[in-house]
Amino acid sequence: LELSDELFEEQKTAEQKDQKLRETLLEMVHKHRLLGVTDMVWNHTAYNSDWLRDHPEAGFNLENSPHLRSAYELDAALVKFSRNLTDYGLDRMVNTVEDVDRLLKAVDEHVVQPLRLWEFYVIDVDAAVEAVRGAWDIATETVAAEDQSALERLSGDARSEWLRAYIIGSHSNALGTRFGRTIDPARTAAVLRLLAHDDRDLAMTQLRELLDLLNLTYYREYDADVKAIRNNIGERVKYERLDRGSWKFGKPVDSSFQIVDPLFTTVEARTEGVPDDRLHLANNGWIWGGNPLDNFAGPESKAYLQRAVIVWGDCVKLNYGTCPQDNPWLWEHMRQYTLRMARVFHGFRIDNCHSTPIELAEYLLDEARKINPNMYVIAELFTGSEDTDRVFVQRLGINSLIREAMQAWDSHEMSRLAHRHGGRPIGSLAVDCLGEPGVFIDDEHGAARIDAVVAPLSGSLPHAVFFDCTHDNEVPAQKRTAEDALPNAAIVAMTACASGSNRGYDELYPELLNVVHERRHYAELKDPLSVGLGEAKAKLNRLHAEIAQYQEVHVHHETEYVTIHRVHPVTREGVLMVAHCAFRGAPSESHFDSPKLYGTAVTPEFAYRLRPEAGGHVPVDDGVLHGLPSQLEHLAAPSIHQHRDDRGMFTELRLPENFGPGSVLVVRTRLVDFKPNLDWKIRTCADEATARLTLGALNAVLYR
């Protein structure tokens, strides 16, 4: 275990690198008041990890996972096909759907059919008959009485199905070697004696008929899987070759840009004599709509064969099993890695938590908390199910879940996410008005009795770290418009939860970086606040920290506008933000009803509009990453007008001119003549004052 040399400018020993890491983290804490959280990758490792050469059993290989052999042979054939594409009369450029169709036809003709993959599915009839013929003479097996009764009672398809299950016995039905599926010769011979009345020739004839029926089911299974293979390859090729956002767009099909990314990595053993099957390791990835609790590399899954895995070609999936005894070296290796990180960092971000064996994550976090009990744990957890999320959060003690603003497809969904990820309604009675005087007994300090307010514990969603954009998301310029970077960031900053961002977002990078293949360097910015939306983002970040205790929230959506009002539950001071979203295809002008804030004074804070240059493009590639050229325009403060109607005095907020898509404004709000200690005064002696009131009378006192 050693920190990578790529992280340091000069060559250092392992001890020097560890020391430099500790010094940097201490400087972050004491000089910049920043805590360090590190990415913990337990589910996979880099394909070029040196220790894989000594411990290939740490991955899913063809020796410990023979069910992957058919998937590996298909994968290897696709790699060869990509390399020799012109030998089959095909153009290396794929530009149209018709090109994809021609490619798929060639894959079927030159890859799938020659592989004879059906041999992995069916039973070798001749070999099975000979095995049963040999067992016939030995006659060591008999049919139990209850099985004989079932055989006599059943008929037709039900009887055939019973027979198929009986002759297979305990043999695994998972794919393995060619003709790896078989039957139990002794059990089969025993049941055929009953059916054929000890006539061996008749029994062998019946067996062939039974095996043909059994293989018919297996051939249908094969046909369905080949259909899935074709479909998954086709959809992947269409995305990678025809979608401008893909890193393979406009690239030829060759060894560097294969028809599909390989699902397996072959490592080079450090010693001689290591079987090849031990060195072919399954790469990691994910499955669209898959159950995160299922092991898609396990024997019950055919995801690799069906090419359903959206693969990360630079990562090898690790094979832990379910307990340390299943792979002792790997569990201990990862324990040591985890302990080293827990000693220096303040928190963990669990990468790919949804695909990490939950038993492993539970074990490693328990070990880490032994030396760092106050560790902050964030998880990249995308299960698609709140119930499944809850299982991970409860078992692993996760503090926060990563959530992504760029998943929103329109302004309405954006407002829903902002509402979902934190806060309680303005004026809520959920906490403050339900508390009662009580006593807290502190067992850690001699059972000391401490006066406290005891409030009911109400259920809530797991706490979120809401990112305006992560390293996995397409940037606003790709998925929406470049202008939307500002309103998107403002909505995230106003949400009552933790927030996060990614390098390049504020600079308006034009596209998602491919972290595997990107070779350019980040630009050194002399004045970061003058680039992109830097100045506005800095103010939004400071505001986000300032209003952390403003836990009451109101979110309003209207056409392309999202309004968020955060209010302090005691002082009633608030911050209101209006964002004009800029989703692609949305109208440039949308109706907006001016907010009316009753009994409220309003003070403008700031207003901006992001204007990318028309037809703006990134400068010529000079080896440095650049954002889109843009201007952050200061807008005039909103006009504030005070009026009165039958409900009383109110303040009307009118948007400034040019508040078009890509604009945000922030104002502060304050209830006029409000006294923060009013809540305490009302509650003083409230029990005595209301003790004799009926529910109807209490309703009149409170609301009429």
Side-chain angles (χ1 to χ4, degrees):
L1 286 169
E2 184 177 338
L3 295 172
S4 172
D5 290 335
E6 296 179 358
L7 299 174
F8 303 88
E9 295 180 357
E10 301 174 353
Q11 190 72 25
K12 295 180 182 294
T13 66
E15 291 183 0
Q16 289 173 331
K17 287 187 283 189
D18 287 346
Q19 180 61 27
K20 181 62 176 177
L21 174 61
R22 287 191 291 268
E23 291 174 356
T24 302
L25 288 169
L26 286 173
E27 180 182 356
M28 288 170 55
V29 173
H30 297 297
K31 185 176 180 179
H32 303 289
R33 299 180 65 194
L34 293 173
L35 302 182
V37 176
T38 186
D39 201 28
M40 295 303 295
V41 183
W42 293 324
N43 186 47
H44 55 268
T45 188
Y47 74 100
N48 57 354
S49 293
D50 191 58
W51 52 267
L52 283 176
R53 300 177 62 192
D54 297 310
H55 296 279
E57 79 282 358
F60 290 86
N61 58 39
L62 305 190
E63 188 174 83
N64 61 31
S65 305
H67 57 279
L68 294 175
R69 181 173 297 278
S70 55
Y72 169 74
E73 291 192 13
L74 174 61
D75 196 60
L78 286 169
V79 171
K80 182 179 179 181
F81 176 77
S82 297
R83 185 171 58 247
N84 302 326
L85 197 66
T86 55
D87 294 348
Y88 307 110
L90 294 170
D91 194 323
R92 291 195 179 278
M93 297 304 299
V94 179
N95 300 314
T96 66
V97 174
E98 290 72 23
D99 291 341
V100 176
D101 292 338
R102 280 191 290 271
L103 197 62
L104 290 178
K105 185 177 180 181
V107 167
D108 185 63
E109 180 180 353
H110 301 294
V111 177
V112 176
Q113 292 183 26
L115 279 177
R116 298 168 62 89
L117 291 175
W118 54 268
E119 292 179 352
F120 287 96
Y121 291 77
V122 301
I123 296 172
D124 186 330
V125 174
D126 291 338
V129 169
E130 286 305 310
V132 174
R133 194 186 299 275
W136 185 279
D137 296 329
I138 300 174
T140 59
E141 187 91 14
T142 59
V143 180
E146 58 268 25
D147 290 328
Q148 291 187 37
S149 175
L151 187 59
E152 294 170 358
R153 185 176 66 254
L154 298 173
S155 61
D157 291 342
R159 192 179 200 220
S160 297
E161 185 60 37
W162 184 91
L163 280 170
R164 283 197 291 268
Y166 187 85
I167 67 175
I168 290 173
S170 60
H171 286 254
S172 171
N173 202 39
L175 299 186
T177 59
R178 294 178 184 271
F179 299 113
R181 284 175 169 171
T182 186
I183 58 176
D184 187 315
R187 286 168 62 91
T188 304
V191 76
L192 287 176
R193 282 183 180 277
L194 292 177
L195 293 174
H197 305 289
D198 287 329
D199 185 335
R200 188 170 70 171
D201 292 338
L202 176 60
M204 296 305 107
T205 300
Q206 292 177 335
L207 175 59
R208 286 185 177 275
E209 294 175 353
L210 185 59
L211 291 176
D212 286 341
L213 284 174
L214 187 54
N215 276 341
L216 179 61
T217 301
Y218 292 151
Y219 277 117
R220 287 171 177 165
E221 179 187 359
Y222 161 78
D223 289 339
D225 286 346
V226 168
K227 182 178 180 181
I229 291 169
R230 290 170 180 152
N231 181 69
N232 288 329
I233 291 177
E235 292 302 315
R236 197 65 192 161
V237 172
K238 287 177 185 176
Y239 167 70
E240 292 186 338
R241 305 290 172 170
L242 307 184
D243 191 308
R244 291 183 178 274
S246 170
W247 72 282
K248 288 186 181 180
F249 178 79
K251 304 291 194 308
V253 177
D254 56 21
S255 297
S256 300
F257 305 98
Q258 299 174 25
I259 178 175
V260 282
D261 291 332
L263 298 182
F264 291 83
T265 288
T266 298
V267 299
E268 182 181 349
R270 202 182 304 277
T271 58
E272 296 182 358
V274 179
D276 289 345
D277 284 356
R278 198 177 299 170
L279 303 176
H280 304 309
L281 307 179
N283 292 333
N284 196 30
W286 59 286
I287 297 178
W288 185 268
N291 184 343
L293 296 179
D294 291 341
N295 179 10
F296 58 79
E300 302 305 318
S301 171
K302 292 187 287 186
Y304 281 88
L305 174 61
Q306 295 175 345
R307 311 290 303 189
V309 179
I310 302 173
V311 70
W312 302 323
D314 63 328
C315 298
V316 168
K317 186 174 179 64
L318 296 178
N319 184 6
Y320 291 95
T322 58
C323 64
Q325 292 73 26
D326 290 339
N327 203 327
W329 182 89
L330 181 59
W331 282 70
E332 178 58 21
H333 181 73
M334 286 299 172
R335 189 180 80 90
Q336 293 299 330
Y337 157 56
T338 300
L339 294 179
R340 285 186 65 176
M341 296 299 100
R343 289 188 182 101
V344 293
F345 285 95
H346 302 91
F348 286 173
R349 172 198 178 272
I350 306 176
D351 182 78
N352 208 223
C353 183
H354 40 273
S355 294
T356 300
I358 196 167
E359 300 87 357
L360 171 81
E362 202 168 25
Y363 169 79
L364 294 178
L365 285 173
D366 285 348
E367 292 294 301
R369 286 176 171 130
K370 290 177 182 178
I371 60 175
N372 189 349
N374 294 320
M375 177 176 294
Y376 177 44
V377 179
I378 307 169
E380 181 189 37
L381 185 68
F382 303 122
T383 69
S385 164
E386 289 184 8
D387 290 336
T388 307
D389 284 353
R390 196 174 298 114
V391 171
F392 278 88
V393 170
Q394 290 174 344
R395 288 187 59 175
L396 304 185
I398 296 171
N399 300 104
S400 303
L401 298 181
I402 291 173
R403 293 295 179 251
E404 302 171 345
M406 291 307 298
Q407 294 298 327
W409 52 83
D410 60 16
S411 56
H412 180 270
E413 175 65 8
M414 192 71 216
S415 68
R416 188 190 71 83
L417 292 177
H419 182 271
R420 185 174 185 77
H421 294 321
R424 56 183 186 267
I426 292 179
S428 171
L429 305 180
V431 177
D432 299 328
C433 295
L434 297 180
E436 296 181 354
V439 175
F440 168 68
I441 300 176
D442 190 349
D443 292 329
E444 295 184 358
H445 295 85
R449 297 173 62 85
I450 302 171
D451 292 335
V453 174
V454 180
L457 182 63
S458 57
S460 64
L461 291 173
H463 182 261
V465 179
F466 197 24
F467 277 74
D468 51 28
C469 193
T470 75
H471 69 287
D472 289 323
N473 300 143
E474 289 187 331
V475 299
Q478 287 175 288
K479 195 166 185 180
R480 302 174 187 172
T481 64
E483 290 91 334
D484 196 66
L486 179 56
N488 182 68
I491 292 170
V492 168
M494 286 295 295
T495 304
C497 63
S499 64
S501 191
N502 189 44
R503 174 68 196 264
Y505 182 87
D506 299 351
E507 298 164 61
L508 301 182
Y509 281 4
E511 60 187 6
L512 169 66
L513 299 183
N514 188 307
V515 295
V516 177
H517 302 281
E518 183 59 63
R519 292 294 177 264
R520 292 170 293 175
H521 294 275
Y522 289 121
E524 293 187 13
L525 305 177
K526 295 181 180 179
D527 183 10
L529 299 189
S530 66
V531 178
L533 51 96
E535 179 183 325
K537 188 69 170 292
K539 291 184 179 180
L540 289 168
N541 285 341
R542 285 195 293 269
L543 189 65
H544 179 79
E546 178 190 337
I547 62 175
Q549 299 302 317
Y550 292 33
Q551 285 296 307
E552 295 187 358
V553 184
H554 175 70
V555 180
H556 174 69
H557 170 254
E558 182 179 357
T559 61
E560 295 306 309
Y561 295 89
V562 175
T563 303
I564 301 178
H565 195 187
R566 295 273 299 275
V567 176
H568 194 285
V570 177
T571 68
R572 313 313 296 171
E573 294 177 345
V575 173
L576 184 143
M577 184 277 304
V578 181
H580 190 169
C581 298
F583 282 80
R584 184 170 286 118
S588 58
E589 296 184 7
S590 303
H591 176 74
F592 181 72
D593 284 331
S594 299
K596 296 180 179 180
L597 305 173
Y598 283 86
T600 302
V602 176
T603 304
E605 189 72 9
F606 58 82
Y608 291 102
R609 182 175 183 179
L610 180 62
R611 290 184 181 271
E613 292 184 7
H617 61 279
V618 176
V620 176
D621 185 8
D622 57 358
V624 176
L625 292 164
H626 298 282
L628 294 169
S630 63
Q631 178 185 358
L632 186 64
E633 179 183 343
H634 290 255
L635 298 180
S639 57
I640 299 171
H641 306 272
Q642 290 191 343
H643 305 282
R644 182 177 294 275
D645 61 13
D646 55 355
R647 292 177 56 187
M649 184 276 292
F650 66 88
T651 299
E652 183 178 17
L653 193 69
R654 296 178 184 173
L655 301 179
E657 293 184 6
N658 299 322
F659 196 80
S663 301
V664 300
L665 67 81
V666 173
V667 299
R668 294 185 181 272
T669 64
R670 176 179 55 82
L671 287 182
V672 177
D673 298 329
F674 175 77
K675 294 179 174 55
N677 63 350
L678 182 61
D679 177 65
W680 176 82
K681 288 186 176 181
I682 292 175
R683 295 178 63 173
T684 301
C685 301
D687 291 342
E688 293 84 346
T690 60
R692 297 183 180 182
L693 296 179
T694 64
L695 291 178
L698 182 61
N699 182 62
V701 170
L702 289 175
Y703 300 111
R704 296 185 182 179

Short mmCIF file of all heavy atoms in Angstrom, two decimals, residues 82-119:
data_model
loop_
_atom_site.label_atom_id
_atom_site.label_comp_id
_atom_site.label_asym_id
_atom_site.label_seq_id
_atom_site.Cartn_x
_atom_site.Cartn_y
_atom_site.Cartn_z
N SER A 82 -12.79 -6.19 -33.62
CA SER A 82 -12.52 -4.75 -33.75
C SER A 82 -11.19 -4.50 -34.43
O SER A 82 -11.05 -3.61 -35.26
CB SER A 82 -12.53 -4.10 -32.36
OG SER A 82 -13.79 -4.19 -31.75
N ARG A 83 -10.20 -5.32 -34.08
CA ARG A 83 -8.86 -5.14 -34.63
C ARG A 83 -8.82 -5.46 -36.13
O ARG A 83 -8.11 -4.81 -36.90
CB ARG A 83 -7.88 -6.01 -33.86
CG ARG A 83 -6.43 -5.83 -34.26
CD ARG A 83 -5.49 -6.56 -33.30
NE ARG A 83 -5.77 -7.99 -33.21
CZ ARG A 83 -6.24 -8.61 -32.13
NH1 ARG A 83 -6.50 -7.92 -31.03
NH2 ARG A 83 -6.45 -9.92 -32.12
N ASN A 84 -9.60 -6.47 -36.55
CA ASN A 84 -9.54 -6.94 -37.93
C ASN A 84 -10.77 -6.55 -38.74
O ASN A 84 -11.16 -7.26 -39.67
CB ASN A 84 -9.39 -8.47 -37.93
CG ASN A 84 -8.17 -8.94 -37.18
OD1 ASN A 84 -7.14 -8.26 -37.18
ND2 ASN A 84 -8.27 -10.08 -36.51
N LEU A 85 -11.38 -5.45 -38.39
CA LEU A 85 -12.67 -5.07 -38.99
C LEU A 85 -12.61 -5.01 -40.51
O LEU A 85 -13.53 -5.46 -41.20
CB LEU A 85 -13.10 -3.71 -38.42
CG LEU A 85 -14.58 -3.34 -38.62
CD1 LEU A 85 -15.47 -4.27 -37.83
CD2 LEU A 85 -14.82 -1.90 -38.18
N THR A 86 -11.55 -4.45 -41.07
CA THR A 86 -11.47 -4.29 -42.53
C THR A 86 -11.37 -5.62 -43.25
O THR A 86 -11.68 -5.71 -44.44
CB THR A 86 -10.28 -3.40 -42.90
OG1 THR A 86 -9.08 -3.95 -42.32
CG2 THR A 86 -10.48 -1.98 -42.39
N ASP A 87 -10.95 -6.68 -42.55
CA ASP A 87 -10.87 -8.00 -43.18
C ASP A 87 -12.26 -8.51 -43.57
O ASP A 87 -12.37 -9.42 -44.41
CB ASP A 87 -10.22 -9.01 -42.23
CG ASP A 87 -8.76 -8.68 -41.95
OD1 ASP A 87 -8.21 -7.81 -42.66
OD2 ASP A 87 -8.17 -9.28 -41.03
N TYR A 88 -13.28 -7.95 -42.94
CA TYR A 88 -14.65 -8.39 -43.23
C TYR A 88 -15.37 -7.41 -44.17
O TYR A 88 -16.60 -7.46 -44.31
CB TYR A 88 -15.43 -8.53 -41.92
CG TYR A 88 -14.74 -9.40 -40.91
CD1 TYR A 88 -14.19 -8.86 -39.75
CD2 TYR A 88 -14.63 -10.77 -41.11
CE1 TYR A 88 -13.55 -9.65 -38.82
CE2 TYR A 88 -13.98 -11.58 -40.17
CZ TYR A 88 -13.44 -11.02 -39.04
OH TYR A 88 -12.80 -11.81 -38.13
N GLY A 89 -14.58 -6.52 -44.79
CA GLY A 89 -15.16 -5.58 -45.75
C GLY A 89 -15.95 -4.46 -45.12
O GLY A 89 -16.83 -3.87 -45.77
N LEU A 90 -15.67 -4.11 -43.86
CA LEU A 90 -16.41 -3.08 -43.15
C LEU A 90 -15.57 -1.82 -42.99
O LEU A 90 -14.35 -1.89 -42.80
CB LEU A 90 -16.85 -3.58 -41.77
CG LEU A 90 -17.87 -4.72 -41.76
CD1 LEU A 90 -18.02 -5.27 -40.36
CD2 LEU A 90 -19.22 -4.25 -42.29
N ASP A 91 -16.24 -0.67 -43.05
CA ASP A 91 -15.58 0.61 -42.82
C ASP A 91 -15.38 0.80 -41.32
O ASP A 91 -16.24 0.45 -40.52
CB ASP A 91 -16.45 1.74 -43.39
CG ASP A 91 -15.69 3.06 -43.49
OD1 ASP A 91 -14.87 3.34 -42.60
OD2 ASP A 91 -15.92 3.80 -44.47
N ARG A 92 -14.24 1.35 -40.94
CA ARG A 92 -13.97 1.56 -39.52
C ARG A 92 -14.77 2.74 -38.94
O ARG A 92 -14.87 2.86 -37.72
CB ARG A 92 -12.48 1.79 -39.29
CG ARG A 92 -11.64 0.53 -39.52
CD ARG A 92 -10.25 0.68 -38.96
NE ARG A 92 -9.45 -0.53 -39.16
CZ ARG A 92 -9.49 -1.60 -38.38
NH1 ARG A 92 -10.30 -1.61 -37.34
NH2 ARG A 92 -8.73 -2.65 -38.63
N MET A 93 -15.32 3.59 -39.76
CA MET A 93 -16.13 4.71 -39.28
C MET A 93 -17.60 4.31 -39.22
O MET A 93 -18.13 3.74 -40.17
CB MET A 93 -15.96 5.93 -40.17
CG MET A 93 -14.53 6.47 -40.20
SD MET A 93 -13.90 6.91 -38.56
CE MET A 93 -15.08 8.17 -38.07
N VAL A 94 -18.24 4.59 -38.09
CA VAL A 94 -19.67 4.30 -37.89
C VAL A 94 -20.37 5.64 -37.71
O VAL A 94 -20.23 6.28 -36.66
CB VAL A 94 -19.89 3.39 -36.68
CG1 VAL A 94 -21.37 3.11 -36.48
CG2 VAL A 94 -19.12 2.08 -36.84
N ASN A 95 -21.12 6.06 -38.72
CA ASN A 95 -21.70 7.40 -38.71
C ASN A 95 -23.23 7.42 -38.73
O ASN A 95 -23.83 8.45 -38.46
CB ASN A 95 -21.19 8.19 -39.93
CG ASN A 95 -19.67 8.33 -39.93
OD1 ASN A 95 -19.08 8.65 -38.91
ND2 ASN A 95 -19.05 8.08 -41.07
N THR A 96 -23.85 6.30 -39.08
CA THR A 96 -25.31 6.27 -39.22
C THR A 96 -25.87 5.00 -38.58
O THR A 96 -25.13 4.05 -38.27
CB THR A 96 -25.72 6.29 -40.71
OG1 THR A 96 -25.27 5.07 -41.34
CG2 THR A 96 -25.11 7.49 -41.43
N VAL A 97 -27.19 4.98 -38.43
CA VAL A 97 -27.87 3.79 -37.91
C VAL A 97 -27.67 2.62 -38.86
O VAL A 97 -27.53 1.47 -38.43
CB VAL A 97 -29.36 4.09 -37.69
CG1 VAL A 97 -30.11 2.82 -37.30
CG2 VAL A 97 -29.56 5.16 -36.62
N GLU A 98 -27.64 2.92 -40.16
CA GLU A 98 -27.41 1.86 -41.15
C GLU A 98 -26.03 1.22 -40.96
O GLU A 98 -25.86 0.00 -41.10
CB GLU A 98 -27.55 2.41 -42.56
CG GLU A 98 -28.96 2.78 -42.98
CD GLU A 98 -29.47 4.04 -42.31
OE1 GLU A 98 -28.62 4.87 -41.86
OE2 GLU A 98 -30.70 4.21 -42.22
N ASP A 99 -25.03 2.05 -40.62
CA ASP A 99 -23.70 1.52 -40.33
C ASP A 99 -23.73 0.59 -39.12
O ASP A 99 -23.06 -0.45 -39.09
CB ASP A 99 -22.71 2.66 -40.07
CG ASP A 99 -22.41 3.47 -41.31
OD1 ASP A 99 -22.67 2.97 -42.43
OD2 ASP A 99 -21.94 4.62 -41.17
N VAL A 100 -24.50 0.97 -38.12
CA VAL A 100 -24.63 0.13 -36.92
C VAL A 100 -25.26 -1.21 -37.27
O VAL A 100 -24.80 -2.27 -36.83
CB VAL A 100 -25.45 0.85 -35.83
CG1 VAL A 100 -25.67 -0.07 -34.63
CG2 VAL A 100 -24.78 2.13 -35.39
N ASP A 101 -26.31 -1.17 -38.10
CA ASP A 101 -26.98 -2.41 -38.50
C ASP A 101 -26.02 -3.34 -39.25
O ASP A 101 -26.02 -4.56 -39.03
CB ASP A 101 -28.20 -2.09 -39.37
CG ASP A 101 -29.30 -1.40 -38.58
OD1 ASP A 101 -29.32 -1.55 -37.34
OD2 ASP A 101 -30.15 -0.73 -39.20
N ARG A 102 -25.21 -2.77 -40.15
CA ARG A 102 -24.24 -3.59 -40.88
C ARG A 102 -23.21 -4.19 -39.92
O ARG A 102 -22.80 -5.35 -40.06
CB ARG A 102 -23.54 -2.74 -41.95
CG ARG A 102 -24.36 -2.56 -43.23
CD ARG A 102 -23.51 -1.95 -44.33
NE ARG A 102 -23.19 -0.56 -44.05
CZ ARG A 102 -23.96 0.47 -44.41
NH1 ARG A 102 -25.10 0.26 -45.06
NH2 ARG A 102 -23.60 1.71 -44.13
N LEU A 103 -22.81 -3.41 -38.95
CA LEU A 103 -21.84 -3.88 -37.97
C LEU A 103 -22.41 -5.03 -37.15
O LEU A 103 -21.73 -6.04 -36.90
CB LEU A 103 -21.43 -2.72 -37.06
CG LEU A 103 -20.15 -2.88 -36.24
CD1 LEU A 103 -18.95 -3.04 -37.14
CD2 LEU A 103 -19.97 -1.66 -35.33
N LEU A 104 -23.65 -4.91 -36.73
CA LEU A 104 -24.28 -5.96 -35.93
C LEU A 104 -24.45 -7.24 -36.73
O LEU A 104 -24.30 -8.35 -36.19
CB LEU A 104 -25.64 -5.48 -35.41
CG LEU A 104 -25.61 -4.40 -34.33
CD1 LEU A 104 -27.02 -3.98 -33.95
CD2 LEU A 104 -24.86 -4.88 -33.10
N LYS A 105 -24.77 -7.09 -38.00
CA LYS A 105 -24.90 -8.27 -38.86
C LYS A 105 -23.56 -9.00 -38.96
O LYS A 105 -23.50 -10.24 -38.90
CB LYS A 105 -25.39 -7.86 -40.25
CG LYS A 105 -25.66 -9.03 -41.17
CD LYS A 105 -26.21 -8.56 -42.52
CE LYS A 105 -26.47 -9.75 -43.44
NZ LYS A 105 -26.99 -9.30 -44.77
N ALA A 106 -22.49 -8.22 -39.08
CA ALA A 106 -21.16 -8.83 -39.15
C ALA A 106 -20.77 -9.46 -37.82
O ALA A 106 -20.10 -10.51 -37.80
CB ALA A 106 -20.14 -7.76 -39.55
N VAL A 107 -21.14 -8.86 -36.71
CA VAL A 107 -20.87 -9.45 -35.39
C VAL A 107 -21.55 -10.80 -35.28
O VAL A 107 -20.96 -11.79 -34.79
CB VAL A 107 -21.34 -8.51 -34.26
CG1 VAL A 107 -21.35 -9.23 -32.92
CG2 VAL A 107 -20.44 -7.28 -34.18
N ASP A 108 -22.79 -10.88 -35.73
CA ASP A 108 -23.52 -12.13 -35.67
C ASP A 108 -22.85 -13.20 -36.54
O ASP A 108 -22.70 -14.35 -36.11
CB ASP A 108 -24.96 -11.89 -36.14
CG ASP A 108 -25.82 -13.14 -35.99
OD1 ASP A 108 -26.00 -13.59 -34.84
OD2 ASP A 108 -26.29 -13.67 -37.01
N GLU A 109 -22.41 -12.78 -37.73
CA GLU A 109 -21.86 -13.75 -38.68
C GLU A 109 -20.43 -14.17 -38.33
O GLU A 109 -20.07 -15.35 -38.46
CB GLU A 109 -21.88 -13.13 -40.09
CG GLU A 109 -21.33 -14.04 -41.18
CD GLU A 109 -21.38 -13.40 -42.56
OE1 GLU A 109 -21.98 -12.30 -42.68
OE2 GLU A 109 -20.82 -13.99 -43.51
N HIS A 110 -19.62 -13.23 -37.87
CA HIS A 110 -18.19 -13.51 -37.69
C HIS A 110 -17.77 -13.68 -36.23
O HIS A 110 -16.62 -14.04 -35.98
CB HIS A 110 -17.36 -12.39 -38.33
CG HIS A 110 -17.62 -12.21 -39.79
ND1 HIS A 110 -17.30 -13.16 -40.73
CD2 HIS A 110 -18.21 -11.18 -40.47
CE1 HIS A 110 -17.64 -12.74 -41.94
NE2 HIS A 110 -18.20 -11.55 -41.80
N VAL A 111 -18.67 -13.39 -35.29
CA VAL A 111 -18.32 -13.52 -33.87
C VAL A 111 -19.23 -14.52 -33.18
O VAL A 111 -18.78 -15.57 -32.69
CB VAL A 111 -18.37 -12.16 -33.15
CG1 VAL A 111 -18.09 -12.34 -31.66
CG2 VAL A 111 -17.37 -11.19 -33.75
N VAL A 112 -20.53 -14.23 -33.13
CA VAL A 112 -21.45 -15.04 -32.33
C VAL A 112 -21.58 -16.46 -32.88
O VAL A 112 -21.42 -17.45 -32.14
CB VAL A 112 -22.82 -14.35 -32.25
CG1 VAL A 112 -23.81 -15.25 -31.50
CG2 VAL A 112 -22.71 -13.01 -31.55
N GLN A 113 -21.86 -16.58 -34.17
CA GLN A 113 -22.08 -17.92 -34.73
C GLN A 113 -20.83 -18.80 -34.67
O GLN A 113 -20.91 -19.97 -34.25
CB GLN A 113 -22.60 -17.81 -36.16
CG GLN A 113 -24.01 -17.23 -36.24
CD GLN A 113 -24.55 -17.20 -37.65
OE1 GLN A 113 -24.16 -17.99 -38.50
NE2 GLN A 113 -25.47 -16.28 -37.92
N PRO A 114 -19.65 -18.31 -35.06
CA PRO A 114 -18.46 -19.18 -34.97
C PRO A 114 -18.13 -19.61 -33.54
O PRO A 114 -17.47 -20.64 -33.35
CB PRO A 114 -17.35 -18.30 -35.56
CG PRO A 114 -18.05 -17.32 -36.44
CD PRO A 114 -19.35 -17.04 -35.75
N LEU A 115 -18.54 -18.84 -32.54
CA LEU A 115 -18.22 -19.20 -31.15
C LEU A 115 -19.00 -20.42 -30.65
O LEU A 115 -18.62 -21.03 -29.65
CB LEU A 115 -18.50 -18.01 -30.22
CG LEU A 115 -17.44 -16.93 -30.14
CD1 LEU A 115 -17.90 -15.80 -29.24
CD2 LEU A 115 -16.11 -17.49 -29.63
N ARG A 116 -20.13 -20.74 -31.34
CA ARG A 116 -20.95 -21.88 -30.92
C ARG A 116 -21.28 -21.79 -29.42
O ARG A 116 -21.12 -22.73 -28.64
CB ARG A 116 -20.23 -23.19 -31.22
CG ARG A 116 -19.96 -23.41 -32.70
CD ARG A 116 -18.99 -24.58 -32.93
NE ARG A 116 -19.53 -25.83 -32.45
CZ ARG A 116 -20.28 -26.67 -33.17
NH1 ARG A 116 -20.60 -26.36 -34.43
NH2 ARG A 116 -20.71 -27.81 -32.66
N LEU A 117 -21.77 -20.62 -29.04
CA LEU A 117 -22.06 -20.38 -27.62
C LEU A 117 -23.13 -21.32 -27.08
O LEU A 117 -23.22 -21.54 -25.86
CB LEU A 117 -22.49 -18.92 -27.42
CG LEU A 117 -21.41 -17.86 -27.60
CD1 LEU A 117 -22.01 -16.47 -27.49
CD2 LEU A 117 -20.30 -18.03 -26.57
N TRP A 118 -23.94 -21.88 -27.96
CA TRP A 118 -24.99 -22.79 -27.49
C TRP A 118 -24.40 -23.99 -26.74
O TRP A 118 -25.10 -24.63 -25.94
CB TRP A 118 -25.85 -23.25 -28.66
CG TRP A 118 -25.10 -23.86 -29.81
CD1 TRP A 118 -24.62 -23.24 -30.91
CD2 TRP A 118 -24.71 -25.24 -29.95
NE1 TRP A 118 -23.96 -24.11 -31.73
CE2 TRP A 118 -24.01 -25.37 -31.17
CE3 TRP A 118 -24.88 -26.38 -29.16
CZ2 TRP A 118 -23.49 -26.57 -31.63
CZ3 TRP A 118 -24.38 -27.59 -29.61
CH2 TRP A 118 -23.68 -27.68 -30.83
N GLU A 119 -23.13 -24.31 -27.00
CA GLU A 119 -22.52 -25.44 -26.32
C GLU A 119 -22.39 -25.21 -24.82
O GLU A 119 -22.25 -26.17 -24.04
CB GLU A 119 -21.15 -25.73 -26.93
CG GLU A 119 -21.22 -26.25 -28.37
CD GLU A 119 -19.85 -26.51 -28.96
OE1 GLU A 119 -18.84 -26.15 -28.31
OE2 GLU A 119 -19.77 -27.08 -30.07
#
